[in-house]
Amino acid sequence: MPEVLQRYEAEIWQAIGETFAMVGMSILAAVIVGLPVGTLLFLCRKENLLESRAVFSILNLLVNTIRSFPFLLLVVFLIPFTRFIIGTAIGTAAATVPLSIIAIAHYSRLVEQSLLDVPRGVIEAAKAMGASVVEVVFKFLFVEARSGLVLGLTTSIISFISYSTIMGVVGGGGIGDFAIRYGYQQFMTDLMIYMIIIMVILVQCIQFIGTTVARVIDKR
Amino acid sequence: MIQMHDISKRFADYEAIKAVDIEVNGGEIYGIIGASGAGKSTLLRLMNLLEVPDCGEVVVDGKNLMTMKPKQLREARKSMGMIFQHFNLVANLTIYDNVEVCLQLANYPKHQRRERVMECLRFVGLAHLEKQYPQSLSGGQKQRVAIARALANEPKVLLCDEPTSSLDPHTTAEILAVLEEINRTLGVTIVIVSHEMEVIQSICHRVSVMADGSVYKTIELEPKGIPDVDHTPEYFIEKLTGEVSGDA
């Protein structure tokens, strides 16, 4: 192992841990909140099961607004909110707040798009069989859209990794922050390149897993 | 079995169904025929309220669907099967699971589900394909699965929306034979929407001819039986050239 990596081994492991913590929380938020929000966006569309112009417009505006923020600005803008939720605006835990919010907005849009790919006829058949809205969602929509949902989550996770690199501004740490502080600001270009390599490997692995899972569960 | 009284349906500024009265008797095979855009499919979809009429009454098996609460309507739909031109199977579920879903929705007793699913698949002759996915089936086989799914919860009525319109003549005959058998042996009332003359003539007891959103006339029929379609090379040559080909 290169000498520079050995020298900073402990810090690097800590940075990797921070990245995993931030991205992990983002994934959790995406699945627990983003999936229902995206499903609601889909269901509230015109001529859909829960057609509601009001709900759709509000959710749509909210998702668009969050996604149109340059992420760095969103982090700064949310500082008072983060302080309210976590008690502090600094550190890895605080960093998960803006990350979770962008994660929800990001994934919910991809969920909505995946569900739009489900043939209308399948929903018709479900309704004709007497399925309730909840049953249509769980027994038909999610089943038929499952590989799209997995691919969407994969795309989202990779974006979350990218977003997490910015979190150094609020002391969130992580690999990206480490690469900038040690690699860039202390002129250890080789260290920066090693960090980039770690990120590339991480993204490759996630994409490979996502693509494989999506292919295996796709029987269409 | 199904009474529709003074039903109208308007889409935006287009009047799809104009004050239609129709009565389907229990145990019959009822056809609805007409040109594209005549309102056939819309009329069928009004029978289980997939489309909600602007006015009028839909009574199925003595119960008025129009006055039902959403939960009651869902219960009523469980005793009405429906099949479609494009089958509408769940592509990510096996053949077995596609049929079982209907029983799950109907809260069919768990320990009897497997038996019932296999019974339905045997009825349509596809029990051996239970573990396959729809993607690997032919059009005719997919429609059989859809029929098995529609039958699983022992419906009183089977609504068929252009059930053979994307199938070749031979497969059409097979599907019609299945529908005819369902009507004859299980006593299920069947409503078939089709633009194909042969489909209506072969198995329907009565037919309504639709035009421009109205029922033009309802006619009693003597079902002609299902045509014997045998696609030998000789058949095609004879059809194409008018000559009976011998041993050329």
Side-chain angles (χ1 to χ4, degrees), chain B residues 33-44:
Chain B
I33 197 166
S36 294
K40 316 182 286 291
S41 284
T42 306
L43 186 63
L44 188 80

Side-chain angles (χ1 to χ4, degrees), chain A residues 121-122 124-132 135 139-140 143-147 217-220, chain B residues 45 48 50 74 77-78 80 82 84 87-93 101-102 104-105 133 135 149:
Chain A
V122 172
E124 289 267 282
K127 276 168 73 179
M129 278 188 271
S132 64
E135 286 167 332
K139 290 186 188 294
F140 296 85
V143 173
E144 208 64 335
R146 63 193 184 189
S147 61
I217 61 175
D218 189 5
K219 307 293 181 188
R220 291 172 298 170
Chain B
R45 293 159 54 81
N48 61 357
L50 277 184
R74 291 202 299 274
R77 280 175 176 162
K78 288 170 191 174
M80 305 174 77
M82 190 169 191
F84 307 84
F87 326 124
N88 297 346
L89 299 174
V90 182
N92 275 333
L93 291 180
V101 134
C102 173
Q104 290 174 9
L105 296 177
Y133 288 89
Q135 199 243 343
R149 176 175 73 174

Side-chain angles (χ1 to χ4, degrees), chain B residues 40-64:
Chain B
K40 316 182 286 291
S41 284
T42 306
L43 186 63
L44 188 80
R45 293 159 54 81
L46 286 161
M47 289 182 182
N48 61 357
L49 254 51
L50 277 184
E51 303 287 355
V52 181
D54 301 326
C55 64
E57 247 183 5
V58 183
V59 178
V60 177
D61 198 18
K63 285 166 284 196
N64 186 350

Side-chain angles (χ1 to χ4, degrees), chain B residues 113-175:
Chain B
R113 280 184 199 165
R114 175 152 189 94
E115 198 184 324
R116 179 63 189 154
V117 171
M118 295 315 288
E119 195 179 352
C120 292
L121 285 176
R122 273 195 299 275
F123 188 89
V124 297
L126 293 179
H128 59 294
L129 297 179
E130 59 159 318
K131 293 195 175 70
Q132 305 276 319
Y133 288 89
Q135 199 243 343
S136 61
L137 269 58
S138 69
Q141 288 172 325
K142 285 182 198 167
Q143 193 60 290
R144 283 160 183 265
V145 176
I147 292 172
R149 176 175 73 174
L151 282 185
N153 195 39
E154 300 170 30
K156 294 187 173 136
V157 177
L158 181 59
L159 306 177
C160 312
D161 189 2
E162 300 274 7
T164 59
S165 299
S166 50
L167 304 174
D168 64 62
H170 180 73
T171 317
T172 295
E174 283 179 6
I175 295 296

Side-chain angles (χ1 to χ4, degrees), chain B residues 3-17:
Chain B
Q3 288 98 24
M4 298 178 98
H5 180 60
D6 195 24
I7 290 289
S8 294
K9 177 69 185 178
R10 169 179 278 281
F11 295 112
D13 51 358
Y14 165 67
E15 230 178 321
I17 298 290

Side-chain angles (χ1 to χ4, degrees), chain A residues 5-195:
Chain A
L5 285 185
Q6 269 170 1
R7 185 154 28 110
Y8 289 107
E9 199 181 333
E11 286 93 333
I12 291 171
W13 279 117
Q14 196 199 338
I16 292 175
E18 286 160 355
T19 292
F20 271 75
M22 290 189 287
V23 173
M25 265 308 288
S26 309
I27 297 172
L28 228 56
V31 173
I32 294 173
V33 186
L35 182 62
V37 169
T39 308
L40 207 56
L41 265 171
F42 170 79
L43 291 174
C44 292
R45 272 172 168 265
K46 202 158 181 276
E47 300 193 346
N48 221 322
L49 288 159
L50 295 178
E51 179 174 345
S52 160
R53 211 197 168 102
V55 177
F56 178 81
S57 304
I58 292 169
L59 285 179
N60 196 41
L61 183 69
L62 209 61
V63 167
N64 278 346
T65 308
I66 295 170
R67 283 177 30 96
S68 55
F69 265 88
F71 185 58
L72 187 56
L73 263 182
L74 182 71
V75 175
V76 177
F77 177 77
L78 285 174
I79 284 175
F81 178 69
T82 305
R83 197 172 283 135
F84 175 72
I85 300 271
I86 305 282
T88 169
I90 303 295
T92 308
T96 60
V97 173
L99 276 171
S100 297
I101 286 174
I102 193 74
I104 291 164
H106 196 273
Y107 189 51
S108 62
R109 189 59 88 197
L110 296 183
V111 167
E112 182 200 18
Q113 278 161 16
S114 299
L115 297 181
L116 282 170
D117 283 340
V118 174
R120 286 197 79 85
V122 172
I123 302 170
E124 289 267 282
K127 276 168 73 179
M129 278 188 271
S132 64
V133 175
V134 174
E135 286 167 332
V136 172
V137 168
F138 284 96
K139 290 186 188 294
F140 296 85
L141 280 175
F142 285 175
V143 173
E144 208 64 335
R146 63 193 184 189
S147 61
L149 293 173
V150 168
L151 284 177
L153 188 61
T154 309
T155 306
S156 290
I157 293 172
I158 289 167
S159 298
F160 303 162
I161 294 177
S162 173
Y163 288 135
S164 76
T165 57
I166 295 180
M167 297 320 293
V169 292
V170 290
I175 308 174
D177 179 47
F178 180 84
I180 288 175
R181 281 193 294 127
Y182 288 75
Y184 175 65
Q185 289 168 350
Q186 298 187 31
F187 306 108
M188 290 186 275
T189 310
D190 53 344
L191 193 57
M192 186 170 79
I193 289 170
Y194 287 128
M195 291 307 107

